[in-house]
Amino acid sequence: MHFVTAKGILSSKNGMNLYRGCSHGCIYCDSRSRCYHMEHAFEDIEVKENAVDLLEYALKHKRRKCMIGTGSMTDPYIPLETELENMRKALSLIYEYGFGFTVITKSDRILRDLDLFKKINSKTKCVVQMTLTTYDEELCRKIEPHVSTTQERFVALTKLRDAGIPTVVWLTPILPFINDTQENLLGVLKLCAEAGVYGVINFGMGLTLREGNREYFYKQLDRLFPGLKEKYVRTYGNRYGIESPDNTRLMKLFCQKCEEYGIVHDNEEIFRYLHAFEEKEATRQLSLWDL
């Protein structure tokens, strides 16, 4: 861990990263790619020491309320968050200033902040997004070694559902010759249905490999799945987009099962939902009364 002083916290699309780098150890992580210019070891977490102050300043000076998002580059619920609690401080500010919130995570540590999610959701909208890649717990421990297992994430999703917090699942990446099976797809979607998720985001049965994350991914394949790297190289070369040979059939099955379960699976529709700020009726009435 090391500290830096940041110049800003919110992107043009109102996303933020309190940390840079990650200790989850997922073998396929795109955030390792060199194009993101992370000038330190990926596991050496960069902490923006002034992030909470920057966030408060930004929220105070926003002309319009909106959804604030986090987790697209670095999961904010890494173990370090338990010690620093920067995410919890940020959530308190988001609630105080009346903004909506959405987060992407793979950790059931998120349940620590369930009280704040409920508060935000009572005024506006709070959506928790959670990545699920495999139904197989043993495989999960291999490809996502230092994070909550699929079953633990499923339990978290059900607790969020019971608390009235809407959820979205990212079914990505799907690793060719590893988790690109009908059994895995059906297993994950069944969990999504049981957890009552609003939608499932999926960009096809495959993954992306860029300079930086490709080398790490192949190194982990050599360690965990001997001989598989050579199959990837023969099949895909240095291609950026890696598509499962079974993509067409699996995508058809994906759409069919989502329709059957009543799960939204149009990515654009889900993103519109995630970005749409919604003020609850009671809050609007209170605001008018206060005026």
Side-chain angles (χ1 to χ4, degrees):
M1 173 182 68
H2 66 281
F3 292 90
V4 298
T5 301
K7 294 181 179 179
I9 191 63
L10 288 183
S11 71
S12 60
K13 294 184 178 179
N14 301 305
M16 66 177 180
N17 284 295
L18 302 174
Y19 310 111
R20 292 193 79 204
C22 189
S23 53
H24 285 339
C26 303
I27 71 171
Y28 49 73
C29 184
D30 178 67
S31 293
R32 292 180 181 272
S33 300
R34 290 202 176 95
C35 63
Y36 299 121
H37 306 291
M38 200 171 293
E39 307 299 334
H40 56 87
F42 193 69
E43 289 77 13
D44 177 18
I45 310 301
E46 180 180 283
V47 181
K48 298 175 183 178
E49 59 184 353
N50 58 334
V52 176
D53 291 337
L54 288 172
L55 178 62
E56 181 163 25
Y57 180 86
L59 297 180
K60 273 184 180 179
H61 292 84
K62 280 246 175 227
R63 285 183 160 186
R64 292 184 178 181
K65 297 291 194 292
C66 62
M67 296 292 289
I68 304 297
T70 190
S72 60
M73 278 293 295
T74 297
D75 191 327
Y77 286 99
I78 53 178
L80 188 61
E81 167 60 19
T82 304
E83 173 189 340
L84 299 181
E85 296 194 347
N86 284 340
M87 187 70 255
R88 187 162 181 84
K89 295 169 190 173
L91 285 168
S92 296
L93 289 173
I94 289 167
Y95 170 68
E96 179 183 345
Y97 288 98
F99 285 77
F101 179 71
T102 186
V103 58
I104 307 171
T105 185
K106 294 177 185 171
S107 176
D108 63 0
R109 291 187 192 90
I110 197 168
L111 293 174
R112 179 201 66 184
D113 296 329
L114 185 56
D115 60 327
L116 286 169
F117 297 148
K118 290 166 71 174
K119 285 183 175 182
I120 294 170
N121 202 51
S122 70
K123 289 172 66 174
T124 60
K125 184 171 71 180
C126 179
V127 186
V128 171
Q129 304 170 63
M130 193 162 282
T131 301
L132 298 179
T133 59
T134 177
Y135 183 70
D136 185 323
E137 289 286 276
E138 184 178 345
L139 180 59
C140 178
R141 289 185 177 93
K142 278 187 174 183
I143 66 176
E144 300 160 346
H146 307 306
V147 70
S148 304
T149 68
T150 299
Q151 187 60 34
E152 289 167 341
R153 282 175 248 174
F154 168 68
V155 171
L157 285 168
T158 61
K159 289 182 178 179
L160 290 161
R161 175 204 64 201
D162 293 345
I165 306 299
T167 57
V168 166
V169 161
W170 287 68
L171 180 55
T172 182
I174 300 298
L175 312 178
F177 319 120
I178 296 177
N179 63 337
D180 59 337
T181 66
Q182 177 173 316
E183 178 185 14
N184 184 57
L185 176 61
L186 294 178
V188 171
L189 290 179
K190 187 171 184 289
L191 292 180
C192 292
E194 290 177 6
V197 305
Y198 167 82
V200 174
I201 293 171
N202 178 267
F203 297 101
M205 302 298 160
L207 77 158
T208 58
L209 290 178
R210 295 190 256 211
E211 185 182 4
N213 82 310
R214 177 186 286 109
E215 291 81 357
Y216 184 81
F217 179 64
Y218 280 170
K219 182 178 179 181
Q220 301 311 309
L221 289 188
D222 278 340
R223 182 174 65 87
L224 299 167
F225 308 97
L228 191 53
K229 178 185 78 173
E230 288 72 23
K231 187 172 184 178
Y232 266 76
V233 173
R234 287 195 307 270
T235 307
Y236 304 110
N238 286 325
R239 209 177 302 169
Y240 164 66
I242 308 299
E243 185 179 274
S244 166
D246 208 13
N247 176 69
T248 300
R249 185 180 71 87
L250 290 176
M251 284 303 297
K252 184 177 179 180
L253 181 61
F254 168 75
C255 294
Q256 175 189 324
K257 296 304 291 186
C258 285
E259 291 286 345
E260 181 182 318
Y261 288 137
I263 296 173
V264 178
H265 57 285
D266 179 278
N267 291 344
E268 290 188 8
E269 182 178 350
I270 297 172
F271 287 129
R272 282 195 299 271
Y273 170 73
L274 291 171
H275 289 121
F277 175 78
E278 300 173 11
E279 197 170 32
K280 300 292 171 66
E281 184 65 29
T283 305
R284 285 200 298 270
Q285 290 175 350
L286 180 61
S287 299
L288 289 169
W289 179 260
D290 289 343
L291 291 174

